[in-house]
Amino acid sequence: MARVTEQAPKSAEPARWVVGITGASGAIYGITLCRQLLAAGFHLHLVITDAGWRVLKEELGWDAARRVECLNTAFDSALSENRMTYHPLNDIGASIASGSFRCAGMVIIPCSMGSLSAIANGASTNLLTRAADVMLKEGRPLLLVPRETPLHAIHLENMLKLARLGVRMIPAMPAFYNGPQSIEDIVSFLVGKVMDSMGIEHNLYKRWGQSNG
């Protein structure tokens, strides 16, 4: 008779998310999501494209020449305290480039049409698109927050192609039924919708039918 050995129970999915920020307008969406994930206790693996750094400079006043300092300032020393890992865009040998690296999934927020096109066509030309390709091949959650207007047929076809592969499309389209009073409220709504799709609890916006109490 074959010997039956006990197997150790499977461990829970690592509390790690990969976040990508690209050169689309709306860098504040990505920064806000990162802050929320860190506050919720997740370890964050962050990759930012060169165009993403340019947008951070233009929209939020970040100094792209002092990247580590900017990240530590924005995220309360999470980088130096090892609560967050920053991966340079060209580090194709980084942990997140391998399917053996376990994580809960990846969000690209905001996602430019260029990055979206590369992912849709399997062009792993940098660490961000390679990490997204890993999510697809490993069957892990991949969420994209495209930010562009107007959209032409190629944009739409690329989104449809990815959606049919199970990629979650969450375009940066804020709602107004919750009565936003500030830009922060608008940003919080969109980030909250992203976290809903990630399955993470939050209180970033008032839901439809939710009382004020």
Side-chain angles (χ1 to χ4, degrees), residues 39-203:
F42 291 95
H43 187 97
L44 183 65
H45 285 259
L46 178 64
V47 57
I48 303 174
T49 67
D50 292 336
W53 279 106
R54 174 63 183 268
V55 174
L56 285 165
K57 176 183 177 181
E58 298 294 337
E59 295 186 349
L60 301 180
W62 286 28
D63 183 354
R66 304 166 69 182
R67 298 184 177 187
V68 171
E69 183 178 332
C70 284
L71 293 172
N72 265 322
T73 300
F75 303 123
D76 298 325
S77 300
L79 195 61
S80 60
E81 294 173 359
N82 200 33
R83 294 183 288 117
M84 177 177 75
T85 302
Y86 170 64
H87 299 281
L89 182 65
N90 294 319
D91 186 8
I92 205 65
S95 58
I96 60 175
S98 172
S100 64
F101 176 79
R102 295 185 63 201
C103 64
M106 180 176 185
V107 184
I108 302 179
I109 174 173
C111 185
S112 68
M113 292 300 106
S115 292
L116 191 148
S117 175
I119 296 165
N121 291 282
S124 301
T125 55
N126 57 44
L127 182 58
L128 181 137
T129 51
R130 169 57 187 174
D133 193 61
V134 166
M135 299 301 144
L136 289 172
K137 79 182 185 72
E138 298 294 332
R140 295 175 185 149
L142 176 60
L143 299 84
L144 305 185
V145 180
R147 217 305 311 169
E148 183 62 273
T149 191
L151 299 168
H152 58 63
I154 295 175
H155 297 154
L156 296 170
E157 287 170 356
N158 285 334
M159 290 184 200
L160 179 59
K161 184 177 182 179
L162 289 171
R164 284 174 169 161
L165 292 173
V167 177
R168 191 74 166 174
M169 288 291 168
I170 311 171
M173 297 178 178
F176 294 90
Y177 61 75
N178 56 327
Q181 301 297 307
S182 65
I183 291 176
E184 182 180 358
D185 289 343
I186 294 172
V187 170
S188 292
F189 175 86
L190 190 280
V191 173
K193 294 294 287 186
V194 173
M195 293 181 72
D196 285 347
S197 288
M198 297 168 75
I200 301 173
E201 291 294 327
H202 66 86
N203 59 356

Side-chain angles (χ1 to χ4, degrees), residues 1-8:
M1 178 180 293
R3 182 183 178 186
V4 178
T5 58
E6 285 191 20
Q7 293 184 345

